[in-house]
């Protein structure tokens, strides 16, 4: 197993700054960086910081390519609850990344299997992902890799766990039944192929699953535990998200 680089910050804002700095460094280091992007409330804060940097003239996205982890099946890019829309809203509309290089799986593709294969091929054609940003769901998912997800799984259609539909219902009038039951997601194997992983979690609500993912068995029932198999992983936590993890290892 590889040593994990775990950074614990005093506040959520510092965790977001730390993650934004890593992405900024990646964009400045390479003329053609390929970023793997994530969605969720945590990530909104990181995108806000990147947009600020861009608006200050300090960050140029013109050479950047991106691939998002996932999308709900059945939601059009124009649907306010789609991850396409989320990305436009929080990042793409505010920075100078060429639109044809900002990729999100198409949840309304006529043939979803073909779409998944196309997405994998597009990642490959771009030379693979340099830095993959990850959040963690209450089920331990990365992307939408609900338990159990094979560690060699690729981009595919998944059924969302009831826990996840509840967790993500805020965008759907707090009604879990309105959260689409299926999604397209990069697989755990797709994620592990990225050259570097950066997982960010803040808040007490993530403490138990963070501890499970970092200290529990490496198991397909907690897909985030797979990141411990990667040789270049950084985990950024605030003290609240790290609270259970610290107790166990002290
Ligand atoms: C969704 C995304 C995940 C993300 C999770 C965490 O389920 N598909 O990729 O990790 O949300 O969301 P939040 O940051 O809102 O806790």
């Amino acid at each position: 197993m590889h040593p994990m680089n775990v950074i614990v910050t005093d506040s959520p804002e510092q965790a977001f700054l730390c993650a934004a700095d890593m992405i900024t460094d990646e964009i400045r280091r390479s003329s053609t960086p390929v970023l793997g992007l994530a969605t969720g409330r945590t990530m909104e804060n990181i995108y806000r910081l990147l947009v600020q940097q861009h608006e200050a003239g300090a960050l140029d996205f013109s050479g950047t390519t991106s691939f998002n982890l996932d999308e709900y099946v059945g939601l059009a890019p124009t649907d306010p609850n789609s991850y396409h829309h989320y990305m436009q809203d929080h990042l793409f509309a505010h920075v100078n990344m060429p639109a044809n290089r900002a990729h999100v799986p198409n949840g309304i593709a006529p043939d979803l299997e073909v779409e998944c294969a196309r997405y994998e091929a597009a990642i490959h054609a771009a030379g693979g992902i340099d830095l993959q940003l990850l959040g963690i769901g209450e089920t331990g998912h990365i992307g939408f890799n609900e338990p159990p997800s094979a560690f060699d799984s690729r981009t595919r259609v998944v059924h969302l766990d009831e826990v996840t539909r509840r967790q993500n219902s805020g965008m759907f009038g707090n009604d879990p039944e309105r959260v689409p039951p299926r999604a397209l997601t990069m697989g755990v194997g797709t994620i592990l192929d990225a050259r570097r992983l950066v997982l960010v979690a803040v808040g007490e609500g993530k403490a138990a699953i963070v501890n499970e993912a970092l200290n529990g068995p490496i198991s397909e029932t907690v897909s985030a535990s797979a990141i411990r198999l990667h040789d270049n992983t950084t985990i950024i936590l605030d003290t609240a998200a790290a609270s259970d993890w610290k107790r166990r290892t002290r």
Side-chain angles (χ1 to χ4, degrees):
M1 214 184 306
H2 306 283
M4 284 183 297
N5 181 20
V6 183
I7 299 170
V8 181
T9 64
D10 290 336
S11 68
E13 193 59 22
Q14 280 173 279
F16 305 142
L17 276 165
C18 181
D21 276 352
M22 283 180 191
I23 297 165
T24 304
D25 285 350
E26 188 66 39
I27 294 173
R28 295 202 180 118
R29 194 186 56 79
S30 160
S31 53
T32 55
V34 181
L35 302 179
L37 299 178
T39 49
R41 282 151 296 188
T42 312
M43 301 303 155
E44 291 176 15
N45 299 284
I46 298 169
Y47 298 142
R48 170 176 49 81
L49 294 168
L50 295 178
V51 169
Q52 276 171 15
Q53 290 258 344
H54 175 71
E55 286 174 349
L59 194 57
D60 175 13
F61 285 82
S62 61
T64 301
T65 296
S66 71
F67 289 93
N68 263 79
L69 285 166
D70 45 21
E71 177 61 288
Y72 291 110
V73 167
L75 298 195
T78 49
D79 189 306
N81 291 326
S82 71
Y83 285 163
H84 273 85
H85 197 275
Y86 169 105
M87 290 307 298
Q88 281 300 327
D89 212 23
H90 294 288
L91 185 68
F92 298 154
H94 311 286
V95 298
N96 63 333
M97 199 189 313
N100 63 345
R101 285 206 249 114
H103 305 270
V104 181
N106 179 8
I108 53 164
D111 185 329
L112 295 173
E113 302 298 326
V114 169
E115 170 60 10
C116 292
R118 184 198 68 79
Y119 205 68
E120 285 280 332
I123 295 171
H124 185 75
I129 292 169
D130 294 311
L131 184 156
Q132 176 67 57
L133 190 57
L134 298 168
I136 182 168
E138 281 174 38
T139 61
H141 70 211
I142 45 176
F144 268 139
N145 289 284
E146 301 288 29
S149 285
F151 285 177
D152 62 358
S153 54
R154 310 303 304 185
T155 303
R156 68 200 189 290
V157 181
V158 291
H159 289 269
L160 296 179
D161 201 282
E162 289 313 310
V163 171
T164 298
R165 290 178 78 203
R166 200 171 345 107
Q167 189 195 338
N168 289 3
S169 64
M171 301 267 290
F172 297 85
N174 289 321
D175 181 0
E177 287 299 311
R178 284 177 51 203
V179 179
R182 293 189 304 158
L184 300 183
T185 183
M186 282 187 202
V188 178
T190 320
I191 292 168
L192 291 178
D193 281 351
R195 285 180 272 281
R196 183 172 185 200
L197 305 180
V198 177
L199 184 140
V200 188
V202 297
E204 225 175 83
K206 297 284 168 78
I209 194 63
V210 162
N211 183 50
E212 180 72 26
L214 303 188
N215 282 337
I218 295 182
S219 154
E220 296 186 344
T221 59
V222 180
S223 61
S225 68
I227 67 173
R228 286 151 63 191
L229 300 171
H230 196 284
D231 63 5
N232 192 348
T233 300
T234 303
I235 294 143
I236 305 171
L237 309 170
D238 71 340
T239 39
S243 51
D244 284 8
W245 172 74
K246 281 209 292 199
R247 255 201 305 281
R248 284 259 184 103
T249 51
R250 215 179 275 151

